[in-house]
Each structure stands twice: as C-alpha cells, then as structure tokens.
Amino acid sequence: MEEVRTQVAIIGAGPAGMLLSHLLAADGVETVVVESRSEEYVAGRIRAGILEQSTVDLLRASGLGERLELEGDRHRGIYLQWPGQRHHLDFVDLTGRSVWVYGQTEVQKDLVAARTAAGQQVHYEIESTALHDLETDSPSVTFIDAAGAERRIVADAIAGCDGSFGPSRVAVPEDVRSTWEKVYPYSWLGVLADVAPSTDELIYAWHPDGFALHSMRSESVSRLYLQVPNDTPVSEWPDDRIWEALATRLGHGQDGWTMTPGPITEKSVLPMHSFVQSPMRHGRLFLAGDAAHIVPPTGAKGLNLAVADVGLLAPALAELLLKGDARLADAYSDTALRRVWRCTHFSWWMTTMLHQSGDPFERELQLSQLRWVTSSEAGATGLAENYAGLPIGF
Ligand code: RFL
Ligand code: PHB
C-alpha cells in the first residue's frame, strides 16, 4: 500500500472540505483531500443559493470574494406571503446585515480554482474510504484511488467533511455519539428554469395547497420549489403542472403581480430532515458541515453552517498542529454546536411555519405567526437576525 504523510487529511471535496483546505493553507498547514465523486459531479450539483453575511465576510477575507463581488447579487431581505398578503422584510433596516444570491456551484468553482492554482492534491473518484486510529496522534485514512491502487494517508488530524452519507460521522464510536433526528412529512420539488426571476427578492409563500418558494440564480435563471408529499415521483409533475401550481401558490394576479414561466432545465425531489450529531470531535477526528448536521432548506442554512464550522475549525487545527495549543480544538465541538442548534431551531421554525401539515389547528397557528412576524418589528427582527445570520462564533 502506498503511504503518504500530511498534516490534515480531509475527507470530502464539497464546500466544507475545500474551504478548510484553503483556510489551512493560508495558515501554513498542509492537507490532502479525498473525494468519492468526480470533480465535475461535485461542481455540477445544484444546491444552495443563499449566502449569509458572515459567509460572505469569510469568503472575502480569505481571498475568495472577487467573482462573488462581480456576480453575486446582494439582497436586502425577503418577501413572506399568504393568500391576499405579501410583506417585505428588510434585513438591512432591521439588523444592518444582508444576504447574497450566489449559488453553491459558484462557491465550489471559486474554491476549486483557488486550490488548483495553489497545487492542492485532491484524489477524486476514490472508493472504500476508511478511518483508522482516531484516538492516537497519527490517525489515517485508507482508500482505493481512481486507478485502483490502495493508498494510506497518515495525518496529525482528520477532517470529516464528507456530508450526510460519508463514513466520518459513523466512525465516532456508538457509545460516544448522540444523535437527534426529525423527518418532516413533506418534500420539495425543486426546479431550475431558464427565465428571468419574476421577483426582485425571494418569495416564501404559505398556501393551502402547500408551500412555494421563488428563488433565483442570476438575471436569467430562476430557482423554484413546491411542497410535495414524500416519495413523489418527478414524473407526476410535468412542466405545465409545475408552472400552474407555482402561479397559484405564489399569487399570480395578486395586486398586479405576474409570474413568467420558462423552459425547465432541472427537476428533482428532495426530502427534508433535521439531524445533529454530538460531539463534533472524537480524538483526532473533527466533523464539519453536513457530516455533523443536516437542516431542511427552508432557512437557507446548510451551506452557511458548513462555512461557519470550517471558520472555527481552521484556526483550531492551526493552533493545535503548529503551536501545540489545544484550547481551540478542545472547544471546537461545543462552540460549533451552539450555532448548529440555533440554525437547527431556525430551520425547523421556518419549515413548520410555512408548510401544510394537514392539521387545522397548526394552520391557524401558522397564520397567526406569519401575521406577527410581518407586523411586529420585534417579530420581524428575530427572523431577520437568524436569516441574515449571526456572527461566526455566536
Ligand atoms: P457536501 O456538499 O455534501 O460535500 C460532502 C462531500 O463528501 C463526499 N463524500 C466522500 N468523499 C470521500 N469518501 C467518502 N466515502 C465520501 N462520502 C461522501 C461527497 O461526494 C461530497 O462531495 O457537504 P458539505 O461540504 O458539508 O456542504 C454542505 C452543503 O452542501 C449543504 O449543506 C447545502 O447544499 C444545503 N442547502 C442549502 N444550504 C444553504 O446554506 N442555503 C441554501 O439555500 C441551501 N439550499 C441545500 C439547498 C441543499 C439542497 N440539497 C439538494 C441537499 C438546496 C438543496 C436543493
Ligand atoms: C435556493 O435558491 O436554492 C434556496 C433559497 C432559499 C432557501 C432554500 C433554497 O431557503
């Protein structure tokens, strides 16, 4: 077996893994990244679209802000609506913070470009990833590379950035880890369409037929979501049915607002669940991003949480490995989980406020909550503070 040594072995080349590699390199810490998919597959996944203020601050501060500056679209807030009502929540007025429309695909491109320019070693299309000796100072990762060769990376620490299906979270012994999980009784049908957005800011719509969201990727690409029952086959939703449902739920014709349909280029159904695993560190294994927690997408927090984790983990590993100072590394799990639980609550709250559960009592509570959030400055500020994001380290 071919063996190499590095300081940090990073499992997963998604945003968490690649950003960690980038931040550690800036601190002078060497990493090797391993990824089970191809570079093209990871780059092409249509996922998150919204960056919160602290994510943008961190990307800018680490030299990744150039294209974001040019092509990202700063938004002041969102619309919240229900039949007959549309309200704008202005995060800048309420909290002084804003959000950016800049797709995860773009963040990933910027990260890959920066790491490639720096000569970063990334093994794509690997198999049989396994973690070893986590409770020692020389943990290792073994895998079979794209050419079929068996390899071992011996490191000072391992970063598990391998998302919700990777091997890292389950490498923490069962008697050490606690997990919390909630599966929601609905999914999202997400579509990407080659049509200019029909709105200047995102619209989150409560509707008796189910939740709908109008988001966007650029001046010419819209991203739209519809609440559908779990296990809905995409084939049940031909394009005409999608546009009709979006028009109804988003309020086409309401107060003169119109929605323009266009060619749909991508369509998929995604289930919604919440998951948290604690602790986020075991010995020399550190978990970050979706490997440690999943949120339903309603609060737009998944990618932002991954970035926040890595923003804490990079300095913690640098202090540990370069100066032998374990204080930040020892505090990492508790510090990260504080924000994770805040975002877990916010995502659950947004989700349960906006989706139809079929319970008439919950429906009245939702409408009461929506009226409060859109008419009281205190209510609106709470939503804005969470959506635009608390400072890293909160
Ligand atoms: P990722 O992106 O899943 O990357 C993990 C990587 O690990 C690899 N991997 C392995 N590598 C080696 N060996 C193994 N055995 C491995 N097993 C897995 C995987 O191939 C993968 O490349 O996790 P990361 O880096 O933690 O990033 C998290 C984000 O991707 C995720 O939280 C967001 O996309 C969630 N999310 C959203 N977040 C937001 O902040 N704002 C949004 O607006 C938002 N919208 C969304 C979303 C997620 C969505 N989907 C499909 C899940 C919208 C959607 C539709
Ligand atoms: C998206 O643009 O993909 C998006 C935006 C806001 C959300 C979830 C997803 O809450």
Side-chain angles (χ1 to χ4, degrees), residues 8 128 146 189 206 263 337:
V8 180
S128 308
L189 171 70
W206 182 100
L337 281 166

Side-chain angles (χ1 to χ4, degrees), residues 47-50 188 202 204 213 215 217 223 225 297-300 387:
R47 286 189 163 187
I50 302 294
W188 277 11
L202 273 63
Y204 286 80
L213 169 61
S215 181
R217 286 293 177 276
R223 179 74 167 146
Y225 297 98
T298 325
Y387 195 108

Side-chain angles (χ1 to χ4, degrees), residues 11-17 34-37 41-42 45-51 104 108 126 128-129 161-167 188 217 223 225 268 270 288-291 293 295 297 299-306:
I11 308 178
V34 297
E35 166 61 53
S36 54
R37 303 290 195 154
Y41 180 90
V42 178
R45 285 187 303 211
I46 311 295
R47 286 189 163 187
I50 302 294
L51 305 183
Q104 184 166 330
Q108 186 73 26
I126 65 155
S128 308
T129 316
C161 302
D162 45 1
S164 43
F165 302 109
W188 277 11
R217 286 293 177 276
R223 179 74 167 146
Y225 297 98
S268 56
L270 53 131
D290 279 15
H293 40 74
V295 288
K301 287 291 164 218
L303 173 60
N304 292 298
L305 262 186

Side-chain angles (χ1 to χ4, degrees), residues 62-114:
S62 62
L64 293 164
E66 202 178 312
R67 224 161 52 84
L68 169 61
E69 219 69 68
L70 292 172
E71 294 172 30
D73 192 11
R74 179 167 176 254
H75 281 208
R76 292 185 68 95
I78 57 168
Y79 295 104
L80 269 184
Q81 72 170 50
W82 60 98
Q85 300 274 337
R86 178 176 291 173
H87 298 268
H88 186 244
L89 267 63
D90 191 308
F91 302 158
V92 180
D93 284 350
L94 292 162
T95 70
R97 297 162 77 80
S98 42
V99 295
W100 275 256
V101 169
Y102 192 65
Q104 184 166 330
T105 45
E106 306 312 305
V107 175
Q108 186 73 26
K109 261 186 232 163
D110 296 343
L111 285 165
V112 169

